[in-house]
Amino acid sequence: MIHRNNNNNNNNNNNNNNNNNNNNNNNNNNNNNNNNNNNNNNNNNNNNNNNNNNNNNNNNNNNNNNNNNNNNNNNNNNNNNNNNNNNNNNNNNNNNNNNNNNNNNNNNNNNNNNNNNNNNNNNNNNNNNNNNNNNNNNNNNNNNNNNNNNNNNNNNNNNNNNNNNNNNNNNNNNNNNNNNNNASI
């Protein structure tokens, strides 16, 4: 009887041990499962974090690209504005040059007109001087002619006087001769 009880006790102990082992195994399995779940959760969280980081990086890259594009657009706009300003300045300079050229041309034309007027005035003065000289020459010629005519008239008068004197002398001589002749008879 004592042996049988011992056996029973041993069996019971063994059973208890087995149960305990089973329980321990179950607990270990549960712990392992929990650890695996925790690891999976951690992995999922890490993956989510990585995805979020990637998304953030992508967003940052997109923002940077957008900023770069905006900067490029601004630079292009500035360049276009500068080009437009330069074109406007060039146009203004060209207009000023054209105006200056026109003014110079006008001044040259005015100078030419003045020169032409001066030349015309000089020509007119020369013509007037020539006319005056011609008139003076004509007057001198007329005076000379008048003097010559007067001289001729005086000469003619002198000749006539001389002729008259001669005629008178001849007449006197003839009269004297006649008187002498008559006295002689």
Side-chain angles (χ1 to χ4, degrees):
M1 291 296 282
I2 292 170
H3 288 290
R4 217 180 260 182
N5 277 340
N6 279 336
N7 281 339
N8 280 335
N9 280 336
N10 280 338
N11 281 336
N12 280 335
N13 280 338
N14 280 337
N15 280 336
N16 280 336
N17 280 338
N18 281 339
N19 280 338
N20 279 337
N21 281 338
N22 281 336
N23 278 339
N24 280 338
N25 280 340
N26 280 340
N27 279 338
N28 281 339
N29 280 340
N30 278 341
N31 280 339
N32 281 340
N33 279 341
N34 279 341
N35 280 342
N36 281 338
N37 279 341
N38 279 341
N39 280 341
N40 280 340
N41 279 340
N42 279 342
N43 280 341
N44 279 343
N45 278 343
N46 280 344
N47 280 343
N48 279 342
N49 279 343
N50 280 342
N51 280 343
N52 279 342
N53 279 344
N54 281 341
N55 280 342
N56 279 344
N57 280 345
N58 281 343
N59 279 344
N60 280 344
N61 281 343
N62 280 344
N63 279 344
N64 280 345
N65 281 343
N66 279 345
N67 279 345
N68 281 345
N69 281 345
N70 279 344
N71 280 346
N72 281 345
N73 280 346
N74 280 346
N75 281 346
N76 281 346
N77 280 345
N78 280 347
N79 281 345
N80 280 346
N81 280 347
N82 281 347
N83 282 346
N84 280 345
N85 280 347
N86 281 347
N87 282 346
N88 280 346
N89 280 349
N90 281 347
N91 281 346
N92 280 347
N93 281 348
N94 282 346
N95 280 348
N96 281 348
N97 281 347
N98 282 346
N99 280 347
N100 281 348
N101 282 346
N102 281 347
N103 281 346
N104 282 346
N105 282 347
N106 280 347
N107 281 347
N108 282 346
N109 281 347
N110 281 346
N111 281 346
N112 281 345
N113 281 347
N114 281 347
N115 281 347
N116 281 346
N117 282 346
N118 282 346
N119 282 346
N120 282 344
N121 281 346
N122 282 346
N123 282 345
N124 282 345
N125 282 345
N126 282 346
N127 283 343
N128 281 344
N129 282 345
N130 282 343
N131 282 345
N132 282 345
N133 282 346
N134 283 343
N135 282 343
N136 282 344
N137 282 344
N138 282 345
N139 282 344
N140 282 345
N141 284 343
N142 282 343
N143 283 344
N144 283 344
N145 283 343
N146 282 343
N147 282 344
N148 283 343
N149 283 343
N150 282 344
N151 283 343
N152 283 341
N153 283 342
N154 283 342
N155 283 342
N156 283 342
N157 282 342
N158 283 342
N159 283 341
N160 283 340
N161 283 341
N162 283 343
N163 283 341
N164 283 339
N165 283 342
N166 283 341
N167 283 340
N168 283 338
N169 284 340
N170 283 338
N171 283 339
N172 284 337
N173 283 340
N174 283 339
N175 284 337
N176 283 339
N177 284 337
N178 283 337
N179 287 337
N180 285 338
N181 285 335
N182 286 334
S184 298
I185 293 172

